[in-house]
Amino acid sequence: MPKLQTPQTATTPHQPADHPKKLNINLPSDADSDLRDLAQDVQRSKTELVAEALGLLKLIYDETRQGNRLAIISGDGKRILRELVILRLTHRRSY
């Protein structure tokens, strides 16, 4: 297993926009339940969670475009527990 370097901690600060945009989305019922449950657990709005998720997805996209990989690392920083791969994340625009 490769030796792990001390990782940079990535944060995705979400600052309120001056003029928030409204977005209507259709979610499968299980995703809606997950979002509702998570919002209750962390005492944040679904809007905040979706905005943060988008920030994380953008971070993942930017890093993978640079050839980097995303992993879950053990608390002691010595082991890679899981590599995260988002298969549909490609560099193309379809709008």
Side-chain angles (χ1 to χ4, degrees), residues 56-69:
L56 289 169
L57 189 59
K58 173 86 168 75
L59 174 69
I60 293 165
Y61 176 74
D62 290 345
E63 290 296 326
T64 55
R65 277 188 66 198
Q66 295 175 31
N68 297 321
R69 296 161 51 191

Side-chain angles (χ1 to χ4, degrees), residues 31-74:
D32 182 59
S33 294
D34 289 346
L35 182 59
R36 183 186 62 244
D37 293 346
L38 183 59
Q40 287 178 332
D41 287 349
V42 299
Q43 298 181 4
R44 294 177 62 196
S45 71
K46 292 194 285 186
T47 298
E48 290 174 304
L49 293 179
V50 169
E52 186 159 341
L54 179 58
L56 289 169
L57 189 59
K58 173 86 168 75
L59 174 69
I60 293 165
Y61 176 74
D62 290 345
E63 290 296 326
T64 55
R65 277 188 66 198
Q66 295 175 31
N68 297 321
R69 296 161 51 191
L70 181 67
I72 302 296
I73 300 173
S74 63

Side-chain angles (χ1 to χ4, degrees):
M1 181 170 290
K3 183 175 186 230
L4 300 177
Q5 297 178 354
T6 304
Q8 289 182 307
T9 302
T11 58
T12 56
H14 173 70
Q15 299 190 5
D18 293 338
H19 303 285
K21 304 294 183 197
K22 185 170 182 144
L23 173 67
N24 292 315
I25 59 173
N26 296 313
L27 293 175
S29 58
D30 58 336
D32 182 59
S33 294
D34 289 346
L35 182 59
R36 183 186 62 244
D37 293 346
L38 183 59
Q40 287 178 332
D41 287 349
V42 299
Q43 298 181 4
R44 294 177 62 196
S45 71
K46 292 194 285 186
T47 298
E48 290 174 304
L49 293 179
V50 169
E52 186 159 341
L54 179 58
L56 289 169
L57 189 59
K58 173 86 168 75
L59 174 69
I60 293 165
Y61 176 74
D62 290 345
E63 290 296 326
T64 55
R65 277 188 66 198
Q66 295 175 31
N68 297 321
R69 296 161 51 191
L70 181 67
I72 302 296
I73 300 173
S74 63
D76 60 11
K78 295 181 180 179
R79 295 174 292 135
I80 295 173
L81 302 177
R82 187 175 292 174
E83 182 176 356
L84 304 174
V85 178
I86 299 177
L87 298 176
R88 294 186 199 173
L89 195 58
T90 60
H91 182 60
R92 72 176 179 168
R93 295 186 187 255
S94 59
Y95 50 87

